[in-house]
Amino acid sequence: MALTLLVCEVSDLCLGKPPLRSLSASATVADALAALKGSDESFISVWSCDHRNDDVGYCRCVGKVCMVDVICYLCKEDNLLSPSSALNKPLSSILPKDPSLVVHLQPSSSLLEAIDLILEGAQNLVVPIVATKRSGVSRRKQHQSGVSNSSHNGREFCWLTQEDVIRFLLGSIGLFTPLPALSIDSLGIITSDVLAVDYYSPASSAVGAISKSLTQQTSVAIVDTDGAFIGEISPFTLACCDETVAAAVATLSAGDLMAYIDCGDPPEDLVRVVKARLKERNLEKMLQDFTILSCMVGETSASSSSDEESPTRTLARAGRYTRSSSYSARMLRKAEAIVCHPKSSLVAVMIQAIAHRVNYLWVIEDDCSLVGIVTFSNMLKVFREHLETV
């Protein structure tokens, strides 16, 4: 029965999860960029630590950063003029100011506590990893292979994500019958208030929405003048790009940006458009800065080439940024949006979202008109209400 879920602890959901890679809150944006390019993880956790008292050290995760944070930061007008100077600013420049987005949770906390925190607005749950004999072997192997994972106050931590909770509930979906078979429309979990931008609007006008969608773990819809859904600018897709995409955001339309960041190298015609428009705006120094930065920050895979890096080549690689060799194992997703119908069942939507590794699905009608969005958070609210009746 569903009663079994009431006694589940968050440690049950954290088994086998890798420890967080971390940066100090005193690091610079450039440090974060280098860490992201040298990691096979999309996010790097940021920690504030105070060890002035030897008896009681203080360490707390205050946020996380990804390539989308860096890109949105570089898109600010002042930073476009001198990206290299912008990257020397403290990491706090790109961290969300709301401390409630990150919550520390004990391994013994209940699953219901985790769900309640997510529904209250927490986007990142940080949980200490419970040491086991098996995990000790794993840590030794990681150390031997050169993987660097930081511990804080002698403990390692992991993220507990909305996807983790939804995946766990899906494993016990039969306990919630008949809820899973009901349509998302009948359950009332479709949110009509979405982040959206017109196809022909400047991509730069969507930067605020992109940053907000990253925090909300959703996306930005691209619509035509009639409100029909065309596609999306997804933080997940942007996270697979490098910092030079800021040049595309500053010069292209929202629709063209979709094509630019699609899986693989951006189209040559759009690369030429970006270069021409940067020149018109006297932002050519921006490309020069990006060329230098690309050589300075984690370009290990390019070391075997004797060719000098050019601004054109730097932009041409923007759709897929160069990481360490482990980057080849990362999942890349096309900019094509994942959609469902208002009459889709709850369980079908859950499976579809998990299969595509997204936290949301766009809801559209047969004529492609946008109805809204359904998120993991919406789904969790339904499950939480059901558990209250048990």
Side-chain angles (χ1 to χ4, degrees):
M1 294 182 64
L3 284 171
T4 58
L5 296 177
L6 299 178
V7 297
C8 288
E9 298 181 348
V10 296
S11 59
D12 297 330
L13 283 69
C14 296
L15 293 174
K17 291 183 72 68
L20 297 178
R21 300 289 298 272
S22 65
L23 276 175
S24 168
S26 61
T28 65
V29 179
D31 293 330
L33 180 59
L36 286 165
K37 285 193 167 186
S39 170
D40 57 355
E41 299 290 336
S42 295
F43 293 90
I44 303 291
S45 62
V46 182
W47 291 73
S48 175
C49 295
D50 184 356
H51 296 296
R52 287 175 295 182
N53 187 329
D54 293 334
D55 295 329
V56 182
Y58 169 86
C59 273
R60 187 169 186 83
C61 179
V62 294
K64 65 180 182 181
V65 294
C66 73
M67 189 60 70
V68 184
D69 293 300
V70 177
I71 292 170
C72 290
Y73 170 70
L74 291 176
C75 286
K76 295 180 179 179
E77 193 66 32
D78 292 343
N79 297 338
L80 287 173
L81 298 174
S82 181
S84 56
S85 298
L87 290 175
N88 287 324
K89 297 291 180 62
L91 192 53
S92 58
S93 304
I94 64 175
L95 284 179
K97 306 304 179 186
D98 186 357
S100 66
L101 294 176
V102 179
V103 177
H104 282 247
L105 204 57
Q106 290 301 315
S108 58
S109 301
S110 70
L111 173 62
L112 291 184
E113 287 181 73
I115 294 176
D116 286 341
L117 287 171
I118 292 172
L119 295 179
E120 289 168 5
Q123 297 294 335
N124 307 286
L125 301 180
V126 184
V127 182
I129 294 177
V130 178
T132 64
K133 183 177 180 181
R134 184 175 180 179
S135 67
V137 173
S138 174
R139 301 294 179 270
R140 288 195 295 274
K141 288 183 178 179
Q142 289 174 345
H143 180 74
Q144 291 167 1
S145 64
V147 177
S148 175
N149 297 299
S150 300
S151 63
H152 303 278
N153 294 338
R155 304 187 76 176
E156 290 180 322
F157 296 79
C158 67
W159 297 122
L160 180 65
T161 67
Q162 294 180 17
E163 180 185 342
D164 294 328
V165 179
I166 289 291
R167 190 182 293 273
F168 185 81
L169 293 175
L170 184 61
S172 305
I173 198 67
L175 301 176
F176 294 93
T177 302
L179 194 65
L182 300 179
S183 71
I184 56 175
D185 186 21
S186 65
L187 289 170
I189 58 174
I190 303 173
T191 301
S192 58
D193 184 15
V194 301
L195 299 168
V197 63
D198 183 80
Y199 183 91
Y200 295 103
S201 295
S204 57
S205 67
V207 171
I210 293 171
S211 181
K212 188 174 182 179
S213 71
L214 176 65
T215 300
Q216 295 179 346
Q217 301 181 35
T218 57
S219 186
V220 180
I222 305 298
V223 298
D224 64 13
T225 52
D226 296 323
F229 182 74
I230 298 175
E232 68 175 348
I233 299 176
S234 166
F236 187 98
T237 305
L238 271 176
C240 296
C241 301
D242 69 11
E243 74 281 3
T244 65
V245 168
V249 175
T251 54
L252 297 177
S253 68
D256 284 340
L257 180 63
M258 279 199 306
Y260 193 93
I261 66 176
D262 200 0
C263 181
D265 291 336
E268 286 295 332
D269 59 331
L270 289 181
V271 172
R272 289 192 291 270
V273 169
V274 172
K275 288 187 63 184
R277 291 179 181 173
L278 287 175
K279 186 175 182 179
E280 290 172 3
R281 295 176 57 182
N282 295 319
L283 289 174
E284 292 174 291
K285 185 177 182 297
M286 181 183 187
L287 280 184
Q288 296 171 0
D289 278 3
F290 280 147
T291 303
I292 295 171
L293 289 169
S294 294
C295 295
M296 292 175 60
V297 183
E299 291 291 320
T300 56
S301 63
S303 60
S304 59
S305 172
S306 59
D307 295 335
E308 184 177 352
E309 191 77 17
S310 69
T312 302
R313 289 182 59 195
T314 300
L315 277 178
R317 295 194 328 266
R320 185 184 297 183
Y321 69 85
T322 306
R323 288 178 181 249
S324 61
S325 59
S326 60
Y327 175 59
S328 60
R330 285 180 48 78
M331 183 182 72
L332 292 174
R333 182 169 67 85
K334 284 184 173 293
E336 181 179 354
I338 312 302
V339 301
C340 66
H341 191 271
K343 299 304 180 185
S344 297
S345 68
L346 174 60
V347 67
V349 169
M350 291 173 67
I351 293 172
Q352 192 177 357
I354 288 175
H356 290 92
R357 301 300 303 275
V358 292
N359 284 29
Y360 61 90
L361 267 73
W362 296 107
V363 186
I364 62 173
E365 293 285 4
D366 294 333
D367 61 356
C368 290
S369 59
L370 180 61
V371 177
I373 192 171
V374 58
T375 66
F376 279 161
S377 181
N378 298 143
M379 301 176 204
L380 288 174
K381 184 177 180 181
V382 170
F383 285 112
R384 184 65 179 89
E385 291 173 350
H386 180 84
L387 289 172
E388 286 180 353
T389 65
V390 176

